[in-house]
Amino acid sequence: MGLEEKAGNLGIITTTLENVVNWSRTRAMWPLLSGLACCAIEMMAAQSSHYDMSRFGMELMRASPRQSDLLIVAGRVTNKMAPVLRRLYDQMPIPKWVIAMGDCASNGGVFNNYAIIQGVDEVLPVDVYVAGCPPRPEALINGILLLYDKVQGEKITHWS
Amino acid sequence: MSDHIQQAAETIKKKFKAEVSMFRDQVTLQFDKVHILEVCQILRDDFSFGVLTDETVVDYWQRKEPRFQIVYQLHSREHDARIFLRTPVAEDDSSTLSVVPLYPNANWYEREIWDLFGIRFEGHPDLRRLLLPKGYEGHPLRKDVPIKVEETRFSFNYDDIDLGKPRAEE
């Protein structure tokens, strides 16, 4: 696959630990199987064969927060749902990342009212915001690739 | 108006001084809120209005005195007939009688009304909030509650609003 060519006939690759760990983190980042509203439909479409998020190491959405690395907040977050979402986030093992998918999760969107939290960043630390109402699967995949860039750039001192 | 509904409306009108109005074959009876249990009892037992399809409330803030009107929709399956009841409720005494003893499914309707409009139902077995989270203050579907919770963000005021927002920690 090209690796052999680079390795030559020595069978040895030299790189930094940061590079290897960050590379492995991005190539198998499993999202939590959770959707809150209509954005979840687009998330499912992004997962299905036409857009195929498996290309980016997201072979499957894990149904348990204990096994997932990425929380895609797909949809508006109600005041009543926020504690549940925070709990799911707290149950995920470190390292973990959050994507706020869509306008409602990013800043409340059109729901500027008593029921909806004005941006999920009031409850969770968000890494990437994806705009759109709902965002197309391409936009979500773009957001995921943006997150990969961020993870690739992480220094060893950032690892917790 | 079918004979069945006409008869029911006449009876309620005579007994409780109800106002009868009709709009596109929908009959509405409006009467004082203290009679609601008796009216429901008569309609249910004598006129076979056995189903409470819906119970809700309208807030006529700044337009009408008294402010609220509780709306009951009754359905008779035997006669395929519907009848609407309205009882005005004043703002300073926003409570009325519960119809749970007659229609058990009113339980959650009345909890929802209490939750969103803050109208107390006397005689309700378990008047708690239904939809909003525990510890929520106020009744947000009242018309005097502001719609917006946060100023709309545009590019010129984005920073002002963003600085004041709470931010989550890791």
Side-chain angles (χ1 to χ4, degrees):
Chain A
M1 286 279 296
L3 197 65
E4 296 92 328
E5 291 161 25
K6 280 187 183 143
N9 43 21
L10 286 171
I12 296 171
I13 303 169
T14 55
T15 180
T16 59
L17 183 66
E18 275 171 3
N19 252 334
V20 172
V21 172
N22 285 339
W23 174 83
S24 60
R25 279 180 177 175
T26 54
R27 262 57 182 181
M29 192 181 279
W30 287 351
L32 180 65
L33 178 67
S34 76
L36 297 177
C38 34
C39 277
I41 304 292
E42 292 299 297
M43 189 175 68
M44 287 178 233
Q47 183 73 51
S48 67
S49 54
H50 196 89
Y51 294 96
D52 196 15
M53 281 209 302
S54 312
R55 290 178 292 162
F56 310 103
M58 297 179 169
E59 292 300 333
L60 65 172
M61 316 282 272
R62 297 311 299 192
S64 160
R66 307 274 184 208
Q67 301 168 344
S68 43
D69 310 296
L70 173 64
L71 175 60
I72 301 177
V73 184
R76 76 281 180 283
V77 186
T78 56
N79 280 321
K80 210 170 180 177
M81 195 64 191
V84 183
L85 204 65
R86 178 70 210 192
R87 189 163 179 189
L88 284 173
Y89 176 78
D90 288 340
Q91 284 175 341
M92 284 162 62
I94 294 169
K96 51 191 171 183
W97 295 276
V98 178
I99 290 182
M101 179 183 180
D103 289 348
C104 306
S106 300
N107 61 7
V110 294
F111 301 110
N112 193 353
N113 62 28
Y114 64 93
I116 306 291
I117 285 197
Q118 301 300 301
V120 73
D121 47 9
E122 293 182 13
V123 193
L124 310 173
V126 177
D127 294 288
V128 172
Y129 299 86
V130 179
C133 186
R136 284 190 59 87
E138 292 97 325
L140 178 61
I141 288 169
N142 184 42
I144 288 164
L145 292 181
L146 206 65
L147 179 69
Y148 283 2
D149 286 348
K150 184 182 173 180
V151 174
Q152 279 287 7
E154 273 182 6
K155 297 290 175 212
I156 198 165
T157 47
H158 298 156
W159 296 349
S160 42
Chain B
M1 207 193 298
S2 75
D3 290 348
H4 179 68
I5 299 176
Q6 185 142 27
Q7 221 176 341
E10 287 295 322
T11 311
I12 302 302
K13 188 179 175 182
K14 243 182 255 165
K15 238 180 174 166
F16 302 101
K17 292 183 202 150
E19 285 173 39
V20 182
S21 57
M22 198 162 81
F23 178 74
R24 289 185 185 158
D25 292 340
Q26 290 183 350
V27 178
T28 306
L29 310 175
Q30 185 172 334
F31 50 86
D32 197 276
K33 68 181 182 182
V34 295
H35 302 309
I36 181 66
L37 274 174
E38 301 156 68
V39 170
C40 284
Q41 183 93 53
I42 291 169
L43 288 177
R44 189 188 72 168
D45 296 342
D46 303 349
F47 295 96
S48 75
F49 283 97
V51 183
L52 178 71
T53 321
D54 195 11
E55 177 178 352
T56 185
V57 59
V58 188
D59 185 356
Y60 292 104
W61 182 52
Q62 287 188 333
R63 273 182 52 207
K64 250 188 194 178
E65 198 61 37
R67 179 170 163 184
F68 300 104
Q69 285 199 348
I70 317 267
V71 184
Y72 304 81
Q73 302 184 11
L74 301 182
H75 182 216
S76 161
R77 292 197 295 176
E78 285 82 351
H79 298 86
D80 190 18
R82 286 175 198 279
I83 202 161
F84 290 63
L85 313 178
R86 274 171 176 259
T87 58
V89 170
E91 184 179 2
D92 39 343
D93 173 32
S94 56
S95 71
T96 183
L97 289 169
S98 169
V99 294
V100 174
L102 297 172
Y103 297 103
N105 70 325
N107 191 320
W108 278 25
Y109 293 141
E110 290 178 355
R111 276 178 66 188
E112 186 181 351
I113 294 172
W114 158 249
D115 193 359
L116 299 172
F117 286 92
I119 289 169
R120 270 175 292 108
F121 286 89
E122 310 295 341
H124 191 284
D126 179 28
L127 199 62
R128 287 178 291 137
R129 286 191 181 278
L130 178 67
L131 298 170
L132 293 170
K134 268 184 202 166
Y136 190 92
E137 304 256 328
H139 304 284
L141 282 197
R142 284 189 173 212
K143 294 278 183 262
D144 50 355
V145 174
I147 297 171
K148 284 200 234 169
V149 296
E150 185 179 273
E151 194 62 32
T152 310
R153 280 185 274 185
F154 297 104
S155 49
F156 68 88
N157 62 1
Y158 186 88
D159 288 341
D160 300 340
I161 298 165
D162 220 44
L163 287 176
K165 269 172 84 93
R167 281 282 179 270
E169 299 294 316
E170 278 288 336

